[in-house]
Amino acid sequence: MTPLLQVKDVAKMYGRRIGCTDVSFDLYPGEVMGIVGESGSGKSTLLNCLAGHLEPDNGQVIFDTRAGGLADTVTMSEPERRMLGRTDWAFVHQHARDGLRMSVSAGGNIGERLMAVGDRHYGNIRERAADWLGRVEISDNRIDDRPTAFSGGMQQRLQIARNLVTGPRLVFMDEPTGGLDVSVQARLLDLLRGLVREMGLSAIIVTHDLAVVRLLADRLMVMKDGHVVETGLTDQVLDDPQHAYTQLLVSSVLQV
Amino acid sequence: MNDYNFAYLDEQTKRMIRRAILKGLAVPGYQVPFASREMPMPYGWGTGGVQVSAATLTPDDRLKVIDQGADDTTNAVSIRKFFEKTAGVDTTEETAKASVIQTRHRIPEAELREDQILVYQVPIPEPLRFLEPRETETRTMHALQEYGLMHVKLYEDISQHGAIATSYAYPVKVADRYVMDPSPIPKFDNPKMEMAAIQLFGAGREQRIYAVPPYTKVVSLDFEDYPFEATKADAPCDLCAAEDSYLDEVILDDAGNRMFVCSDTDYCRSRREAGHIGRLGTEAA
């Protein structure tokens, strides 16, 4: 089976400081990969390099595109990369405000990606927007409300709907549950797990919350100071951590 | 003795503006940056249009200036006088006799010819501005033809008002390539933009010039199930009985009486002279 995404020796420097370096892994279709680590460990830098928001200084990010087979997203042209960004890829930001248009209604937010890939039928767009609102558990009658009128959890769910409406194959998530209270987090995780399984999505989830990766991720990558210190199956890494930093990380989780 | 260089601007400035105009004509709908000059009038009063007109005028030209279709409003009168004084060109109020027409917010009702130039005053040339505030991003979107966002605006219109409520500055796609702001003309005028005359757009404060060459395809954006409609007040002109012209509504008193009159004063006058009389009109003197 061809990996959906092959990452080879990706490195990003901020001047002399290391953002992330020597990162290599393969992601297979339907697989969810978690990246954990403390603040400043290079998780978000890596995610942004993979999603094309930052240009890595070194390495290849090879994606199995629907049309043209394997392609290096680092060297492909900007129009192609942006096209991927609104068809095959999705990016869920930590702060829903970064991923939503706050002055546009919920329906318009979901419809934007459809219109960006050429849908020009209002009825169809609205129907699919309503359908997706339902799938992320937001009631139909909120379709014309702006995200400013939504709670934090609803905004995050709306952001997910807006990203998944074009049926992407790879979802990048940057702390998708950050800033939400625990009960809302639990519902969001439940929803995400359902969508990922149902749509057969591959996902890369960056988080510092070990509970999130325990629930969602098949495989785990632990980062420290820009380096990958440990990789493995999620349960294996969390239950039997080998690297000193991973042991510290796992033992730092508060027990209730 | 003439105290001004012909048409106020110096020759080098006019060359610079002409280069921008030619580039604009070569790439229809593309916003060409130019070094807009300080003009002796405030921004928002047509500084962009005036500079384009100044670069376009020759001593043989005959200039007409309209503001919201009218030849006799402050803006139109002062710009006409400006060029009478600084260029010494002939001016006219008749559309058919003018070779250069500077306009604010309207296209004349009379069909324009190949030997005429229509110069628009543009307040905000970027059609994506209110959706995407970053200039770097809007430029990229134009370069890559990412115009889905324009339809988000129309989607919002329909979801809020049940129809596309945008009634002026209605976005158009020029020559199947660039999405362009046609300046705040009513959408009634949009279909007229596929015309024989050259159309030049000048935005002084925003420092942009763009153009539509003659007979260029200009398509108003819409949805398949909500097609574009050119709308106007559903009434004939009360002075000249014209059914086909864009109308202004005028409140007559505080008892609810009102009248509709052609916004194009020259068109209305010529119809009245030809003997058409509306509901409140009188015989032409």
Side-chain angles (χ1 to χ4, degrees):
Chain A
M1 185 157 61
T2 324
L4 186 65
L5 188 76
Q6 301 170 43
V7 181
K8 292 179 182 165
D9 289 327
V10 166
K12 173 75 186 170
M13 304 290 288
Y14 295 112
R16 284 172 151 192
R17 280 177 295 114
I18 295 172
C20 62
T21 187
D22 292 337
V23 181
S24 302
F25 65 88
D26 289 345
L27 185 75
Y28 287 88
E31 192 180 31
V32 180
M33 170 94 158
I35 304 176
V36 295
E38 61 193 7
S39 299
S41 60
K43 314 185 294 279
S44 297
T45 300
L46 175 61
L47 194 72
N48 283 323
C49 286
L50 301 184
H53 297 171
L54 281 177
E55 196 184 339
D57 296 322
N58 185 35
Q60 291 175 301
V61 180
I62 297 166
F63 181 73
D64 186 12
T65 58
R66 243 181 273 218
L70 298 179
D72 186 352
T73 64
V74 178
T75 52
M76 75 168 43
S77 69
E78 192 176 354
E80 287 177 297
R81 192 160 49 233
R82 284 172 73 112
M83 192 63 187
L84 270 185
R86 46 176 202 265
T87 52
D88 268 356
W89 289 357
F91 198 102
V92 178
H93 293 263
Q94 174 176 9
H95 301 291
R97 291 171 171 272
D98 297 338
L100 292 173
R101 286 188 193 280
M102 299 308 279
S103 57
V104 170
S105 71
N109 263 294
I110 297 177
E112 184 181 341
R113 272 171 82 111
L114 294 172
M115 293 181 246
V117 294
D119 203 327
R120 293 287 178 269
H121 191 284
Y122 175 81
N124 293 350
I125 294 167
R126 196 160 170 88
E127 201 175 300
R128 288 184 66 182
D131 174 44
W132 266 98
L133 278 183
R135 287 165 83 163
V136 297
E137 298 163 16
I138 298 174
S139 86
D140 274 12
N141 58 23
R142 303 298 302 270
I143 191 167
D144 290 329
D145 289 353
R146 294 188 173 180
T148 40
F150 286 8
S151 71
M154 284 170 78
Q155 287 181 6
Q156 198 58 284
R157 293 203 298 270
L158 177 62
Q159 195 196 173
I160 288 164
R162 164 190 163 90
N163 271 292
L164 296 189
V165 67
T166 46
R169 292 187 297 155
L170 175 57
V171 187
F172 300 99
M173 295 191 227
D174 190 2
E175 308 269 11
T177 58
L180 302 176
D181 64 56
V182 284
S183 58
V184 174
Q185 260 190 38
R187 277 180 62 200
L188 185 72
L189 286 173
D190 208 38
L191 174 75
L192 274 177
R193 190 160 56 165
L195 290 173
V196 165
R197 296 282 177 266
E198 182 191 327
M199 299 176 73
L201 294 175
S202 300
I204 298 178
I205 302 177
V206 159
T207 181
H208 54 249
D209 188 340
L210 294 182
V212 170
V213 287
R214 174 80 90 174
L215 270 172
L216 285 178
D218 304 312
R219 270 200 305 150
L220 202 57
M221 200 159 86
V222 184
M223 291 190 71
K224 170 117 175 74
D225 299 331
H227 296 269
V228 176
V229 295
E230 188 164 352
T231 57
L233 297 175
T234 305
D235 291 344
Q236 174 197 333
V237 173
L238 292 183
D239 294 339
D240 183 18
Q242 302 292 312
H243 190 273
Y245 173 71
T246 315
Q247 292 167 357
L248 178 73
L249 195 70
V250 171
S251 61
S252 305
V253 177
L254 295 175
Q255 301 295 325
V256 184
Chain B
M1 170 190 158
N2 193 351
D3 291 328
Y4 292 100
N5 187 39
F6 178 75
Y8 187 77
L9 292 172
D10 62 275
E11 294 303 315
Q12 288 303 313
T13 299
K14 285 193 278 185
R15 282 184 64 174
M16 175 270 292
I17 294 172
R18 285 172 196 147
R19 279 199 298 273
I21 291 172
L22 289 175
K23 184 170 179 182
L25 283 166
V27 193
Y30 171 69
Q31 299 167 46
V32 186
F34 79 111
S36 179
R37 298 292 193 253
E38 187 84 31
M39 297 302 284
M41 62 186 71
Y43 288 128
W45 282 63
T47 53
V50 164
Q51 289 177 77
V52 171
S53 294
T56 309
L57 281 174
T58 66
D60 302 332
D61 272 320
R62 188 177 282 126
L63 179 72
K64 169 183 162 84
V65 184
I66 52 176
D67 170 9
Q68 308 267 13
D71 288 278
D72 52 4
T73 53
T74 317
N75 200 205
V77 170
S78 51
I79 291 175
R80 191 162 57 232
K81 281 193 176 160
F82 175 77
F83 281 118
E84 280 171 4
K85 183 167 183 179
T86 61
V89 292
D90 290 339
T91 55
T92 178
E93 295 194 0
E94 289 175 52
T95 306
K97 288 186 181 165
S99 57
V100 176
I101 303 170
Q102 182 171 336
T103 175
R104 172 174 176 266
H105 298 192
R106 270 317 303 280
I107 295 175
E109 302 290 354
E111 196 167 326
L112 299 182
R113 302 181 310 264
E114 287 182 5
D115 60 347
Q116 292 178 309
I117 298 175
L118 186 60
V119 177
Y120 295 77
Q121 301 169 200
V122 183
I124 294 171
E126 179 52 74
L128 301 160
R129 175 60 65 241
F130 291 108
L131 301 155
E132 176 52 67
R134 288 168 294 177
E135 176 73 15
T136 49
E137 186 65 19
T138 55
R139 282 199 192 198
T140 312
M141 290 161 82
H142 280 295
L144 303 180
Q145 286 200 70
E146 289 182 4
Y147 291 130
L149 199 53
M150 214 62 248
H151 276 85
V152 173
K153 179 172 153 42
L154 302 180
Y155 170 94
E156 289 289 283
D157 262 7
I158 300 172
S159 71
Q160 280 171 25
H161 307 288
I164 298 178
T166 303
S167 58
Y168 65 95
Y170 192 102
V172 293
K173 192 166 211 176
V174 181
D176 295 321
R177 178 60 182 82
Y178 282 97
V179 165
M180 186 186 90
D181 179 356
S183 88
I185 59 172
K187 66 177 168 184
F188 175 80
D189 283 344
N190 273 20
K192 293 189 211 160
M193 294 187 79
E194 292 186 1
M195 63 164 71
I198 294 174
Q199 298 171 77
L200 305 175
F201 298 76
R205 178 183 49 211
E206 304 288 326
Q207 311 196 326
R208 294 287 185 278
I209 285 172
Y210 49 102
V212 177
Y215 307 113
T216 303
K217 185 175 171 191
V218 179
V219 179
S220 304
L221 300 180
D222 60 3
F223 283 105
E224 287 159 16
D225 45 347
Y226 284 84
F228 171 80
E229 271 180 293
T231 53
K232 69 183 270 290
D234 187 18
C237 171
D238 282 334
L239 294 180
C240 76
E243 305 261 3
D244 58 349
S245 81
Y246 192 74
L247 302 174
D248 287 337
E249 184 178 2
V250 182
I251 306 283
L252 295 177
D253 55 28
D254 59 0
N257 288 312
R258 56 193 184 160
M259 68 188 292
F260 288 101
V261 291
C262 292
S263 95
D264 186 335
T265 51
D266 173 59
Y267 183 73
C268 200
R269 185 184 49 75
S270 64
R271 275 183 58 89
R272 273 177 286 150
E273 281 174 5
H276 299 279
I277 301 171
R279 185 173 62 95
L280 301 171
T282 49
E283 292 281 341

